[in-house]
Amino acid sequence: MRTLSYRITLRKEPEGGYTVLVPALPGCVTYGKTVEEAIEMARDAINGYIESLIEDGEAIPVEEDLIECRLTVEAHA
């Protein structure tokens, strides 16, 4: 068994809660009412996604050599 790491993005929803996206796993999206619940739901979704890939004999995407940064810009709108 190997350990895999995936980035997740949490988006706060206007009606409450957080939608979670896993960019490396297309279609892997989940939701939680709190940040903690959203992260736990993401862990479950990722595990299920990977299990499905294994069952179907497909390759498991990995995030290697990834550089991530955040840029802040001023918008004059």
Side-chain angles (χ1 to χ4, degrees):
M1 180 173 282
R2 68 187 216 217
T3 301
L4 301 171
S5 294
Y6 292 97
R7 288 176 304 123
I8 62 172
T9 302
L10 282 74
R11 181 178 62 221
K12 188 170 183 154
E13 296 298 341
E15 66 277 1
Y18 298 85
T19 296
V20 185
L21 308 169
V22 186
L25 305 175
C28 189
V29 179
T30 190
Y31 172 86
K33 292 180 181 177
T34 65
V35 170
E36 294 79 13
E37 181 183 37
I39 290 170
E40 190 57 36
M41 295 297 290
R43 188 179 317 279
D44 290 343
I46 291 167
N47 284 328
Y49 194 104
I50 291 171
E51 286 177 17
S52 177
L53 291 174
I54 291 169
E55 289 174 6
D56 294 341
E58 296 183 35
I60 299 171
V62 294
E63 290 187 335
E64 296 177 347
D65 301 324
L66 180 70
I67 298 173
E68 185 173 353
C69 61
R70 181 181 204 110
L71 298 177
T72 302
V73 298
E74 291 186 28
H76 301 282

Coordinates of all heavy atoms in Angstrom, one line a residue:
M1 N 0.8 -1.2 0.0 CA 0.0 0.0 0.0 C 0.9 1.2 0.0 O 1.9 1.3 0.7 CB -0.9 0.0 1.2 CG -1.8 1.2 1.3 SD -3.0 1.1 2.6 CE -4.2 0.0 1.9
R2 N 0.6 2.2 -0.8 CA 1.3 3.4 -0.9 C 0.5 4.6 -0.4 O -0.7 4.6 -0.5 CB 1.9 3.7 -2.2 CG 0.9 4.0 -3.3 CD 1.6 4.0 -4.7 NE 1.1 5.1 -5.5 CZ 0.9 4.9 -6.8 NH1 1.3 3.8 -7.4 NH2 0.4 5.9 -7.5
T3 N 1.1 5.6 0.0 CA 0.5 6.8 0.5 C 0.4 7.8 -0.6 O 1.4 8.2 -1.2 CB 1.2 7.4 1.7 OG1 1.3 6.5 2.8 CG2 0.5 8.7 2.2
L4 N -0.8 8.4 -0.9 CA -1.0 9.4 -1.9 C -1.5 10.6 -1.3 O -2.3 10.6 -0.3 CB -2.0 8.9 -2.9 CG -1.7 7.5 -3.6 CD1 -2.9 7.1 -4.4 CD2 -0.5 7.7 -4.5
S5 N -1.1 11.8 -1.8 CA -1.6 13.1 -1.3 C -2.3 13.8 -2.5 O -1.8 13.8 -3.6 CB -0.4 13.9 -0.8 OG 0.2 13.3 0.3
Y6 N -3.4 14.4 -2.1 CA -4.1 15.2 -3.1 C -4.5 16.6 -2.6 O -4.9 16.7 -1.4 CB -5.4 14.5 -3.5 CG -5.1 13.2 -4.3 CD1 -5.1 12.0 -3.7 CD2 -4.9 13.3 -5.7 CE1 -4.8 10.8 -4.4 CE2 -4.6 12.1 -6.4 CZ -4.6 10.9 -5.7 OH -4.3 9.8 -6.4
R7 N -4.4 17.6 -3.4 CA -4.9 18.9 -3.0 C -6.4 18.9 -3.1 O -7.0 18.2 -3.9 CB -4.4 20.0 -4.0 CG -3.0 20.3 -4.0 CD -2.6 21.3 -5.1 NE -3.0 20.7 -6.4 CZ -3.8 21.4 -7.3 NH1 -4.2 22.5 -7.0 NH2 -4.0 20.8 -8.4
I8 N -7.0 19.6 -2.1 CA -8.5 19.8 -2.2 C -8.7 21.3 -2.1 O -7.9 22.1 -1.5 CB -9.2 19.1 -1.1 CG1 -8.8 19.5 0.3 CG2 -9.0 17.5 -1.2 CD1 -9.6 19.0 1.4
T9 N -9.8 21.7 -2.7 CA -10.3 23.1 -2.6 C -11.6 23.1 -2.0 O -12.5 22.4 -2.4 CB -10.3 23.7 -4.0 OG1 -9.1 23.6 -4.7 CG2 -10.8 25.2 -4.0
L10 N -11.7 23.9 -0.9 CA -13.0 24.1 -0.2 C -13.6 25.5 -0.6 O -12.9 26.5 -0.6 CB -12.8 24.1 1.3 CG -12.7 22.7 1.9 CD1 -11.3 22.2 1.6 CD2 -12.9 22.8 3.4
R11 N -14.8 25.4 -1.1 CA -15.5 26.6 -1.5 C -16.7 26.8 -0.6 O -17.6 26.0 -0.5 CB -16.0 26.5 -3.0 CG -16.7 27.8 -3.5 CD -17.1 27.6 -4.9 NE -18.1 26.5 -5.1 CZ -18.0 25.7 -6.1 NH1 -17.1 25.8 -7.0 NH2 -18.9 24.7 -6.2
K12 N -16.7 28.0 0.1 CA -17.9 28.3 1.0 C -19.1 28.6 0.2 O -19.0 29.4 -0.7 CB -17.5 29.4 1.9 CG -18.5 29.7 3.0 CD -18.1 30.7 4.0 CE -19.1 30.8 5.1 NZ -18.6 31.2 6.4
E13 N -20.2 27.9 0.5 CA -21.4 28.1 -0.2 C -22.3 29.2 0.4 O -22.4 29.3 1.7 CB -22.2 26.8 -0.3 CG -21.4 25.7 -1.1 CD -21.2 26.1 -2.6 OE1 -21.8 27.0 -3.1 OE2 -20.3 25.5 -3.2
P14 N -23.0 30.0 -0.4 CA -23.9 31.0 0.2 C -24.9 30.5 1.1 O -25.3 31.2 2.1 CB -24.5 31.7 -1.1 CG -23.7 31.2 -2.2 CD -23.0 30.0 -1.8
E15 N -25.4 29.3 0.8 CA -26.5 28.8 1.7 C -25.9 28.0 2.9 O -26.7 27.5 3.7 CB -27.4 27.8 0.9 CG -26.7 26.6 0.4 CD -25.9 26.7 -0.9 OE1 -25.9 27.8 -1.5 OE2 -25.4 25.7 -1.4
G16 N -24.6 28.0 3.0 CA -23.9 27.4 4.1 C -23.2 26.1 3.7 O -23.5 25.5 2.7
G17 N -22.2 25.8 4.5 CA -21.4 24.6 4.2 C -20.3 24.8 3.2 O -20.1 26.0 2.7
Y18 N -19.7 23.7 2.8 CA -18.5 23.8 1.9 C -18.5 22.8 0.8 O -18.7 21.6 1.2 CB -17.2 23.7 2.7 CG -17.0 24.8 3.7 CD1 -17.6 24.7 5.0 CD2 -16.3 25.9 3.4 CE1 -17.5 25.7 5.9 CE2 -16.2 27.0 4.4 CZ -16.8 26.8 5.6 OH -16.7 27.8 6.5
T19 N -18.4 23.2 -0.4 CA -18.2 22.2 -1.5 C -16.7 21.9 -1.6 O -15.9 22.9 -1.5 CB -18.7 22.8 -2.8 OG1 -20.1 22.9 -2.7 CG2 -18.4 21.8 -4.0
V20 N -16.3 20.7 -1.8 CA -14.9 20.3 -1.9 C -14.7 19.7 -3.3 O -15.4 18.9 -3.8 CB -14.6 19.2 -0.9 CG1 -13.1 18.9 -0.9 CG2 -15.0 19.7 0.5
L21 N -13.6 20.2 -3.9 CA -13.2 19.8 -5.2 C -11.8 19.1 -5.1 O -11.0 19.6 -4.3 CB -13.1 20.9 -6.2 CG -14.3 21.8 -6.4 CD1 -14.0 23.0 -7.2 CD2 -15.5 21.0 -7.0
V22 N -11.6 18.1 -5.9 CA -10.3 17.4 -5.9 C -9.8 17.5 -7.3 O -10.1 16.7 -8.2 CB -10.3 15.9 -5.5 CG1 -8.9 15.3 -5.4 CG2 -11.1 15.8 -4.1
P23 N -9.0 18.6 -7.6 CA -8.6 18.8 -9.0 C -7.9 17.7 -9.8 O -8.2 17.5 -11.0 CB -7.6 20.0 -8.9 CG -8.0 20.7 -7.6 CD -8.4 19.6 -6.7
A24 N -7.2 16.9 -9.1 CA -6.5 15.8 -9.8 C -7.4 14.6 -10.1 O -7.0 13.7 -10.9 CB -5.3 15.3 -9.0
L25 N -8.6 14.6 -9.5 CA -9.5 13.5 -9.8 C -10.8 14.1 -10.4 O -11.7 14.5 -9.6 CB -9.8 12.8 -8.4 CG -8.6 12.2 -7.7 CD1 -9.0 11.7 -6.3 CD2 -7.8 11.2 -8.5
P26 N -10.9 14.1 -11.7 CA -12.1 14.7 -12.3 C -13.4 14.2 -11.8 O -13.6 12.9 -11.8 CB -11.8 14.4 -13.8 CG -10.4 14.1 -13.9 CD -10.0 13.5 -12.6
G27 N -14.3 15.1 -11.5 CA -15.6 14.6 -11.0 C -15.7 14.3 -9.5 O -16.7 14.0 -9.0
C28 N -14.5 14.3 -8.8 CA -14.5 14.0 -7.4 C -14.9 15.3 -6.6 O -14.1 16.2 -6.4 CB -13.1 13.5 -7.0 SG -13.1 12.8 -5.3
V29 N -16.1 15.4 -6.3 CA -16.7 16.5 -5.6 C -17.5 16.0 -4.4 O -18.3 15.0 -4.5 CB -17.6 17.4 -6.6 CG1 -18.2 18.6 -5.9 CG2 -16.8 17.8 -7.8
T30 N -17.5 16.8 -3.3 CA -18.3 16.4 -2.2 C -18.7 17.7 -1.4 O -18.3 18.8 -1.8 CB -17.6 15.4 -1.3 OG1 -18.5 14.9 -0.3 CG2 -16.3 15.9 -0.6
Y31 N -19.3 17.5 -0.3 CA -19.8 18.6 0.5 C -19.8 18.3 2.0 O -20.0 17.1 2.4 CB -21.3 18.9 0.0 CG -22.0 19.9 0.9 CD1 -21.9 21.3 0.6 CD2 -22.8 19.6 2.0 CE1 -22.5 22.2 1.4 CE2 -23.4 20.5 2.7 CZ -23.3 21.8 2.4 OH -23.9 22.8 3.2
G32 N -19.6 19.3 2.8 CA -19.7 19.2 4.2 C -20.3 20.4 4.9 O -20.1 21.5 4.3
K33 N -21.0 20.3 6.0 CA -21.6 21.5 6.6 C -20.5 22.3 7.3 O -20.7 23.5 7.5 CB -22.6 21.0 7.6 CG -23.8 20.4 7.0 CD -24.9 20.0 8.0 CE -26.1 19.3 7.3 NZ -27.0 18.8 8.3
T34 N -19.4 21.7 7.8 CA -18.3 22.4 8.4 C -17.0 22.1 7.7 O -17.0 21.2 6.9 CB -18.1 22.0 9.9 OG1 -17.7 20.6 9.9 CG2 -19.4 22.2 10.7
V35 N -16.0 22.9 7.9 CA -14.7 22.6 7.3 C -14.2 21.2 7.6 O -13.8 20.4 6.8 CB -13.6 23.7 7.7 CG1 -12.3 23.2 7.2 CG2 -14.0 25.0 7.1
E36 N -14.4 20.8 8.9 CA -13.9 19.5 9.4 C -14.7 18.4 8.7 O -14.1 17.4 8.2 CB -14.1 19.4 10.9 CG -13.2 20.3 11.7 CD -13.7 21.8 11.8 OE1 -14.9 22.0 11.4 OE2 -12.9 22.6 12.1
E37 N -16.0 18.6 8.6 CA -16.8 17.6 7.9 C -16.5 17.5 6.4 O -16.4 16.4 5.8 CB -18.3 17.9 8.1 CG -19.2 16.8 7.4 CD -20.7 17.2 7.6 OE1 -21.1 18.3 7.5 OE2 -21.5 16.2 7.7
A38 N -16.3 18.7 5.8 CA -16.0 18.7 4.4 C -14.6 18.0 4.1 O -14.5 17.2 3.1 CB -15.9 20.1 3.9
I39 N -13.7 18.1 5.0 CA -12.4 17.5 4.8 C -12.6 15.9 4.9 O -12.0 15.2 4.2 CB -11.3 18.0 5.8 CG1 -11.0 19.4 5.4 CG2 -10.1 17.1 5.8 CD1 -10.1 20.2 6.4
E40 N -13.3 15.5 5.9 CA -13.6 14.1 6.1 C -14.3 13.5 5.0 O -14.1 12.4 4.5 CB -14.3 13.9 7.4 CG -14.4 12.4 7.8 CD -13.1 11.7 8.0 OE1 -12.1 12.4 8.4 OE2 -13.0 10.5 7.6
M41 N -15.3 14.3 4.4 CA -16.1 13.8 3.3 C -15.1 13.7 2.1 O -15.3 12.8 1.2 CB -17.2 14.7 3.0 CG -18.3 14.8 4.1 SD -19.1 13.2 4.3 CE -20.0 13.1 2.8
A42 N -14.2 14.6 1.9 CA -13.2 14.6 0.8 C -12.4 13.3 0.9 O -12.1 12.6 -0.1 CB -12.4 15.8 0.8
R43 N -11.9 13.0 2.2 CA -11.1 11.8 2.4 C -11.9 10.5 1.9 O -11.4 9.7 1.2 CB -10.8 11.6 3.8 CG -9.8 10.5 4.1 CD -9.4 10.5 5.6 NE -9.1 11.8 6.2 CZ -8.0 12.4 6.1 NH1 -7.0 11.9 5.4 NH2 -7.8 13.6 6.7
D44 N -13.2 10.5 2.3 CA -14.0 9.3 1.9 C -14.2 9.3 0.4 O -14.2 8.2 -0.3 CB -15.4 9.4 2.6 CG -15.4 9.1 4.0 OD1 -14.3 8.6 4.5 OD2 -16.3 9.5 4.7
A45 N -14.5 10.5 -0.2 CA -14.7 10.6 -1.7 C -13.4 10.1 -2.5 O -13.5 9.4 -3.5 CB -15.1 12.0 -2.1
I46 N -12.3 10.6 -2.0 CA -11.0 10.2 -2.6 C -10.8 8.7 -2.5 O -10.5 8.0 -3.5 CB -9.8 11.0 -2.0 CG1 -9.9 12.4 -2.4 CG2 -8.5 10.4 -2.5 CD1 -9.0 13.4 -1.7
N47 N -11.0 8.1 -1.4 CA -10.9 6.7 -1.2 C -11.8 5.9 -2.1 O -11.4 4.9 -2.8 CB -11.1 6.3 0.3 CG -9.9 6.6 1.1 OD1 -8.8 6.6 0.7 ND2 -10.2 6.9 2.4
G48 N -13.0 6.3 -2.2 CA -14.0 5.7 -3.1 C -13.6 5.8 -4.6 O -13.7 4.9 -5.3
Y49 N -13.1 7.0 -4.9 CA -12.7 7.2 -6.3 C -11.6 6.3 -6.7 O -11.6 5.6 -7.7 CB -12.3 8.7 -6.4 CG -12.1 9.2 -7.8 CD1 -13.1 10.1 -8.4 CD2 -11.0 8.9 -8.6 CE1 -12.9 10.6 -9.7 CE2 -10.8 9.4 -9.8 CZ -11.8 10.3 -10.4 OH -11.6 10.8 -11.6
I50 N -10.6 6.2 -5.8 CA -9.4 5.3 -6.1 C -9.8 3.9 -6.1 O -9.4 3.1 -7.0 CB -8.3 5.6 -5.0 CG1 -7.7 7.0 -5.2 CG2 -7.2 4.5 -5.1 CD1 -6.8 7.5 -4.2
E51 N -10.7 3.4 -5.2 CA -11.2 2.1 -5.2 C -11.8 1.7 -6.6 O -11.7 0.7 -7.1 CB -12.1 1.8 -4.1 CG -11.5 1.7 -2.7 CD -12.5 1.5 -1.6 OE1 -13.6 1.2 -1.8 OE2 -12.0 1.8 -0.4
S52 N -12.6 2.7 -7.1 CA -13.3 2.5 -8.3 C -12.3 2.4 -9.5 O -12.5 1.5 -10.4 CB -14.3 3.7 -8.6 OG -14.9 3.6 -9.8
L53 N -11.3 3.2 -9.5 CA -10.2 3.1 -10.5 C -9.5 1.8 -10.5 O -9.3 1.1 -11.5 CB -9.2 4.2 -10.3 CG -9.6 5.7 -10.6 CD1 -8.5 6.6 -10.2 CD2 -10.0 5.8 -12.0
I54 N -9.2 1.3 -9.3 CA -8.6 0.0 -9.1 C -9.5 -1.1 -9.7 O -9.0 -2.0 -10.4 CB -8.2 -0.3 -7.7 CG1 -7.1 0.7 -7.3 CG2 -7.7 -1.7 -7.5 CD1 -6.8 0.7 -5.8
E55 N -10.7 -1.1 -9.3 CA -11.7 -2.1 -9.8 C -11.8 -2.1 -11.3 O -12.0 -3.2 -11.9 CB -13.1 -1.9 -9.1 CG -13.1 -2.2 -7.7 CD -14.5 -1.8 -7.0 OE1 -15.4 -1.4 -7.8 OE2 -14.6 -1.9 -5.8
D56 N -11.7 -0.9 -11.9 CA -11.8 -0.8 -13.3 C -10.5 -1.0 -14.1 O -10.4 -0.9 -15.3 CB -12.4 0.5 -13.7 CG -13.9 0.7 -13.3 OD1 -14.5 -0.4 -13.0 OD2 -14.4 1.8 -13.2
G57 N -9.4 -1.2 -13.3 CA -8.1 -1.4 -13.9 C -7.5 -0.2 -14.5 O -6.7 -0.2 -15.4
E58 N -7.9 1.0 -14.0 CA -7.4 2.2 -14.5 C -6.3 2.8 -13.7 O -6.1 2.4 -12.5 CB -8.6 3.3 -14.6 CG -9.7 2.9 -15.5 CD -10.7 3.9 -15.6 OE1 -10.4 5.1 -15.6 OE2 -11.9 3.6 -15.8
A59 N -5.5 3.6 -14.2 CA -4.4 4.2 -13.5 C -4.9 5.2 -12.5 O -5.9 5.9 -12.7 CB -3.4 5.0 -14.5
I60 N -4.1 5.3 -11.4 CA -4.5 6.2 -10.3 C -3.7 7.5 -10.5 O -2.4 7.5 -10.5 CB -4.1 5.6 -8.9 CG1 -4.9 4.3 -8.7 CG2 -4.4 6.6 -7.8 CD1 -4.5 3.6 -7.5
P61 N -4.3 8.6 -10.7 CA -3.6 9.9 -10.9 C -2.8 10.3 -9.7 O -3.3 10.0 -8.5 CB -4.7 10.9 -11.2 CG -5.9 10.1 -11.6 CD -5.8 8.8 -10.9
V62 N -1.7 10.8 -9.9 CA -0.9 11.3 -8.7 C -0.5 12.8 -9.0 O -0.4 13.2 -10.1 CB 0.4 10.5 -8.5 CG1 0.1 9.1 -8.1 CG2 1.3 10.4 -9.8
E63 N -0.2 13.5 -7.9 CA 0.2 14.9 -8.0 C 1.7 14.9 -7.6 O 2.0 15.0 -6.4 CB -0.6 15.8 -7.1 CG -2.0 15.9 -7.6 CD -2.8 17.0 -6.7 OE1 -2.4 17.2 -5.6 OE2 -3.7 17.5 -7.3
E64 N 2.5 14.8 -8.6 CA 4.0 14.9 -8.4 C 4.5 16.1 -9.0 O 4.0 16.6 -10.0 CB 4.7 13.6 -8.9 CG 4.3 12.4 -8.2 CD 4.9 11.1 -8.8 OE1 5.5 11.2 -9.9 OE2 4.8 10.1 -8.1
D65 N 5.6 16.6 -8.5 CA 6.3 17.8 -9.1 C 5.3 18.9 -9.3 O 5.4 19.7 -10.3 CB 7.0 17.4 -10.4 CG 8.0 16.3 -10.2 OD1 8.7 16.3 -9.2 OD2 8.1 15.5 -11.1
L66 N 4.5 19.1 -8.3 CA 3.5 20.2 -8.4 C 4.0 21.4 -7.7 O 4.4 21.3 -6.6 CB 2.2 19.7 -7.8 CG 1.0 20.6 -7.8 CD1 0.5 20.8 -9.2 CD2 -0.1 20.1 -6.9
I67 N 3.9 22.5 -8.3 CA 4.2 23.8 -7.7 C 2.9 24.6 -7.6 O 2.2 24.8 -8.6 CB 5.2 24.6 -8.5 CG1 6.5 23.9 -8.5 CG2 5.4 26.0 -7.9 CD1 7.6 24.5 -9.4
E68 N 2.5 25.0 -6.4 CA 1.3 25.7 -6.3 C 1.5 27.0 -5.6 O 2.3 27.1 -4.6 CB 0.3 24.9 -5.4 CG -1.1 25.5 -5.3 CD -2.1 24.6 -4.6 OE1 -1.8 23.5 -4.4 OE2 -3.2 25.1 -4.4
C69 N 0.9 28.1 -6.1 CA 1.1 29.4 -5.4 C -0.2 30.2 -5.6 O -1.1 29.8 -6.4 CB 2.3 30.2 -6.0 SG 2.1 30.5 -7.8
R70 N -0.3 31.2 -4.8 CA -1.5 32.0 -4.8 C -1.1 33.5 -5.2 O -0.1 34.0 -4.5 CB -2.2 32.0 -3.5 CG -3.4 32.8 -3.4 CD -4.1 32.7 -2.0 NE -5.5 33.0 -2.1 CZ -6.5 32.2 -2.0 NH1 -6.2 30.9 -1.7 NH2 -7.7 32.5 -2.1
L71 N -1.7 34.1 -6.1 CA -1.4 35.4 -6.5 C -2.5 36.4 -6.1 O -3.7 36.0 -6.3 CB -1.1 35.5 -8.0 CG 0.0 34.7 -8.6 CD1 0.0 34.9 -10.1 CD2 1.3 35.2 -8.0
T72 N -2.2 37.5 -5.6 CA -3.2 38.5 -5.3 C -2.9 39.7 -6.2 O -1.8 40.2 -6.4 CB -3.0 39.0 -3.8 OG1 -3.1 37.9 -3.0 CG2 -4.1 40.0 -3.5
V73 N -4.0 40.2 -6.9 CA -3.9 41.3 -7.8 C -5.0 42.3 -7.4 O -6.0 42.0 -6.8 CB -4.1 40.8 -9.3 CG1 -3.0 39.9 -9.7 CG2 -5.5 40.2 -9.5
E74 N -4.8 43.5 -7.8 CA -5.8 44.6 -7.6 C -6.6 44.7 -8.8 O -6.0 44.8 -9.9 CB -5.1 45.9 -7.2 CG -4.5 45.9 -5.8 CD -3.9 47.2 -5.4 OE1 -4.5 48.2 -5.9 OE2 -3.0 47.2 -4.6
A75 N -7.9 44.8 -8.7 CA -8.8 44.9 -9.8 C -9.5 46.3 -9.7 O -10.1 46.6 -8.6 CB -9.8 43.8 -9.9
H76 N -9.4 47.1 -10.7 CA -10.1 48.4 -10.7 C -11.4 48.3 -11.4 O -11.5 48.7 -12.6 CB -9.2 49.4 -11.3 CG -7.9 49.6 -10.6 ND1 -7.7 50.3 -9.4 CD2 -6.6 49.1 -10.9 CE1 -6.5 50.2 -9.0 NE2 -5.8 49.5 -9.9
A77 N -12.4 47.7 -10.7 CA -13.7 47.5 -11.4 C -14.7 48.4 -10.8 O -14.7 48.9 -9.7 CB -14.1 46.1 -11.2

